[in-house]
Structures are given as structure tokens and as C-alpha cells.
Amino acid sequence: MSQNTQRITQKIATSLNAEASLLLAAIVESSDDAIMSKSVDGTILSWNKGAQQIYGYTPEEVIGQPVSILMPESKQDDFPKMINQLKKGKRIEHYETQRKTKDGRIIDVSITVSPLRNRKGEIIGASKIARDITYQKEIERKREDFISMASHELKTPITSIKGFAQILQRLLNKLGNEDANKFLDRMLHQIDTLTNLVSDLLDASKVQQGKLEYKDEKFDIDSLIEDTVENIQQTTNRHSLKITGKVNTSIKADKDRIGQVLVNLLTNAIKYSPQAKEVLIYAGKKKGYLEVSVQDFGIGINKQHLDKIFDKFYRVTNPDGDIYPGLGIGLYISNEIIKRHKGQIYIHSEIGKGSTFTFNLPLK
Ligand code: ADP
């Protein structure tokens, strides 16, 4: 290439670059999302029209100001948390938090922050895109309130229906009417299913609102496992539930909630392994933790679902087309309970072979 051609090519490239930059600037300016940049110390460097619409400040009012002016009191620690991530070169995606507008309103936003680097690759600041999600959050809150109210209201009539059904069963027992007794047995079983569904719904909304209460008590985990397994064994004729190992120590935790996790894992193991004959339960100790696993030999879960399986209302559509009843909140609640006890819950699963759900809890 002659020197002249090289110069012309460079000129075209520069003018194309300049045009691309102008186009990009126009896109940023016309976006409905708030797009801004800030320096490493948190000083606002640029501010688009979307940011002005969402937060109410003009560029002249905020450029040069610290980003903390946008953070309500309760979210002031967002900045140090974010800057730590950015210094490691990490992006923060769809972080849901709250911000304060110029007129003092608190709004819900979803924020994505990416590190900005200079030519040498050093981090010199961050670009930030914020979307106003106040409306979605409001709808979510209303839905939560409705679920919480409806499940609360349903609890009382279900409890009395169960009470009356039990009285009826006792009366019919005296009369020796076996057929009627059989139907009442089924009815009581369905009432129990309904009770569990309603209390799962209520728990899920309590988790969401941070209101799930926990007790702290000392109890023998091996007895809890044995009792729970014995109870669940009675709900299945097909599966045989076998316990291997022992923790051999008592722990301090919420006994009912840990029992709820066990019930969840065991009922799932039975429900999602309709062709299998066994469910295995392992208990033991591992490096300062107790570990409990529930293994089934059922339909298994595809890898792509494994990281979402603990999300609220997440259910896998099974490729075999079989329909398994459920709401997709049992694992969500179980995960929350274990997390609250500073433990972990994880899955190992292979499609067509089965799943093992394991949780651990610190022993001290
Ligand atoms: P539910 O069983 O009521 O749908 P969960 O929160 O307990 O809700 O489980 C979420 C989803 O995870 C289920 O819908 C199912 O697709 C999958 N799953 C849970 N446990 C198992 C299991 N043992 N085997 C296969 N899939 C499971």
C-alpha cells in the first residue's frame, strides 16, 4: 500500500469511527433508560436524557456530584459494594435496588454496571444503565399481598373442614361403615394436600417479605430424620425409604423448618420417581457440617434447569409429557430455610437416572 493510500484509508477509518461515535452518542441520548458514567471515586461524569427523566436532575446539576446523592439512606452501601466488584473487573447485572429522585421520591431500579478501562486496560470508572422498575415492583407487591391474604384466609376454613371430617370419621367408625370410612380417608388425605399447598404459599410470601420466623432450639437431628422418614413412608406403597448413616449429634436450629425441608425433599423424591422402588437417605458429618442427602432413581433434571430450580414458581416441563402436580415453591422455601441456617443445598442429577438433593448445616 502506498503512503497516500494508507493516509486515505486512515482518514476514512477515522471519519467512520467519528460517525459511529456520533451514532452511539445519539442512541445513548435517546434511550429511556438512565445511562451515566462515573469515576472510580464515584463522581458522576456523564448523564443522558433518560437519567434526567428518571431522577429529575439536569446534567448541569449532577455532573461533578457524588453518585451517593442518588442513593437513599438504606442503600448508601451500594456504592462501596459495587466499586469493590468493579475493581475486580466484574460486571454487575440487573441488580435490583432503590434510588432517590431530585424531589425525594424513592424508586425501584434495576442496574447494570460495567467497568470502563483506559487504553492500558486500567479501570478508570464505570458505565451504569438503570431502568425504572417501580411499576413492575408495585404489581409484584400487590400479587404478593394477594397471595399472602388469600392463603391466610383459606387456612381457617380448611382447618375446620379437617376437624369436622375427623369427627365424622370417628362417628362412622363406631357404626362400622367401611365404605364411608374409605372415602373419608381419601378426603382427609386431600385436605392434608390442600393444607400443605396453602401453607407453602403463605411461607413463600413470608420469605419474599422477609417475615419467615425461625426458632432456635437444640434437637437430635437423627431422630428428626427417622420420624420424618417414617411419616412420609406411610404416604407411599410403592417406594421403600431407607436411611443410611447417622449424624450422632444434636444441633441448634429450627426443628420444624428443617423437618419441612426434609418433607419437601422426600415428597419430591417420591413424586418424581413414579417407576422407582427406592428412595435413599444418607446422613453424616463432614468438616464441621452435618450433611443429609435424599437420592431418588426417577426422571432426573436436565442441566440447564439446575441453577433455576430453587427460584420461586420455577417448574421443569418434563420432556416425557407427564404432569406432576405442584406449585414450584417447595425448593424455593427449602433453600431459604437452609440459607438462613448458614447451610447450603445443592443437586446432583442425571436425566433418566435420578436426582440427589443434599443439604448441609454448620454443627456450631
Ligand atoms: P413442585 O414439586 O411443587 O413443582 P419444587 O419447588 O419442590 O416444586 O420443585 C421445583 C421443580 O423442580 C419441580 O417442578 C420439578 O420440576 C423439579 N424437581 C424437584 N425435585 C425433583 C426430583 N427429585 N426429581 C426431578 N425433578 C425434581
Side-chain angles (χ1 to χ4, degrees):
M1 215 190 292
S2 77
Q3 261 193 345
N4 208 18
T5 330
Q6 229 171 9
R7 246 198 320 260
I8 294 170
T9 322
Q10 216 160 26
K11 240 181 163 175
I12 294 173
T14 317
S15 91
L16 280 178
N17 263 341
E19 207 158 309
S21 301
L22 280 175
L23 193 67
L24 203 60
I27 293 172
V28 168
E29 201 44 29
S30 65
S31 165
D32 280 342
D33 291 339
I35 304 177
M36 56 178 281
S37 58
K38 62 181 180 192
S39 62
V40 185
D41 69 357
T43 306
I44 299 171
L45 301 174
S46 65
W47 187 257
N48 76 337
K49 231 184 234 153
Q52 182 169 344
Q53 265 159 15
I54 292 176
Y55 297 110
Y57 293 103
T58 63
E60 295 73 31
E61 285 171 319
V62 283
I63 291 178
Q65 296 284 337
V67 276
S68 55
I69 63 161
L70 304 172
M71 296 171 187
E73 201 58 44
S74 60
K75 301 289 174 189
Q76 283 290 333
D77 60 346
D78 271 2
F79 178 65
K81 265 198 258 168
M82 284 185 180
I83 211 72
N84 268 342
Q85 292 282 90
L86 290 167
K87 279 184 181 156
K88 291 181 205 151
K90 285 190 185 151
R91 225 170 107 91
I92 299 155
E93 284 189 48
H94 310 300
Y95 170 62
E96 292 191 1
T97 182
Q98 287 181 317
R99 289 292 174 259
K100 197 168 74 184
T101 63
K102 187 182 167 185
D103 57 10
R105 274 179 306 118
I106 305 294
I107 55 168
D108 293 295
V109 287
S110 162
I111 293 179
T112 296
V113 194
S114 316
L116 286 175
R117 297 171 192 272
N118 63 14
R119 281 177 200 277
K120 286 190 232 157
E122 297 155 344
I123 294 164
I124 50 160
S127 71
K128 194 163 169 183
I129 304 178
R131 177 161 291 182
D132 186 350
I133 52 164
T134 312
Y135 181 64
Q136 285 105 296
K137 282 278 160 194
E138 187 53 32
I139 291 181
E140 235 174 74
R141 269 193 282 271
K142 281 193 176 144
R143 191 187 62 180
E144 280 308 323
D145 286 351
F146 174 75
I147 293 178
S148 151
M149 205 179 64
S151 39
H152 191 79
E153 290 302 313
L154 283 166
K155 259 178 98 168
T156 321
I158 296 173
T159 313
S160 39
I161 292 172
K162 183 166 177 176
F164 290 129
Q166 280 167 332
I167 295 172
L168 214 57
Q169 195 174 42
R170 274 200 293 275
L171 291 175
L172 285 166
N173 247 338
K174 279 187 198 149
L175 296 176
N177 187 331
E178 279 192 16
D179 271 350
N181 251 319
K182 210 167 65 199
F183 287 122
L184 267 172
D185 259 349
R186 286 195 205 162
M187 190 169 149
L188 280 164
H189 177 70
Q190 293 300 334
I191 295 172
D192 283 342
T193 310
L194 193 59
T195 311
N196 291 339
L197 279 175
V198 168
S199 73
D200 269 2
L201 272 175
L202 198 57
D203 280 351
S205 58
K206 280 188 190 159
V207 168
Q208 184 86 24
Q209 296 166 348
K211 287 184 189 158
L212 198 65
E213 284 155 13
Y214 294 88
K215 287 176 283 185
D216 222 6
E217 55 197 317
K218 215 169 171 191
F219 64 92
D220 178 30
I221 181 82
D222 293 314
S223 315
L224 178 70
I225 296 172
E226 278 161 31
D227 293 348
T228 316
V229 167
E230 209 179 294
N231 284 340
I232 302 294
Q233 180 65 74
Q234 284 167 22
T235 64
T236 171
N237 295 325
R238 183 178 177 92
H239 298 80
S240 150
L241 277 54
K242 289 186 185 140
I243 306 175
T244 317
K246 267 184 181 240
V247 180
N248 276 328
T249 181
S250 52
I251 60 160
K252 229 176 153 205
D254 189 319
K255 187 178 174 188
D256 291 341
R257 293 286 175 205
I258 301 298
Q260 190 178 352
V261 174
L262 278 167
V263 169
N264 250 319
L265 299 186
L266 292 167
T267 46
N268 274 353
I270 293 169
K271 178 163 71 171
Y272 297 104
S273 70
Q275 311 297 334
K277 290 202 170 74
E278 272 190 331
V279 171
L280 305 178
I281 300 100
Y282 304 92
K285 266 189 257 186
K286 213 175 184 181
K287 292 182 194 149
Y289 282 82
L290 71 85
E291 204 170 67
V292 180
S293 297
V294 175
Q295 181 177 19
D296 67 63
F297 304 90
I299 59 171
I301 308 164
N302 216 319
K303 262 202 187 95
Q304 77 201 72
H305 300 291
L306 290 182
D307 57 339
K308 296 188 218 91
I309 210 97
F310 295 105
D311 290 354
K312 192 158 129 188
F313 299 129
Y314 192 84
R315 307 202 70 223
V316 179
T317 318
N318 292 296
D320 56 12
D322 284 346
I323 295 167
Y324 300 91
L327 293 175
I329 47 179
L331 287 181
Y332 167 73
I333 299 168
S334 301
N335 187 30
E336 284 298 321
I337 294 174
I338 297 298
K339 269 199 312 201
R340 271 291 294 266
H341 283 86
K342 300 195 169 61
Q344 281 172 311
I345 183 163
Y346 44 92
I347 323 166
H348 177 81
S349 187
E350 241 180 285
I351 202 91
K353 293 203 171 152
S355 311
T356 305
F357 283 78
T358 304
F359 70 83
N360 61 29
L361 292 172
L363 282 169
K364 276 195 183 150

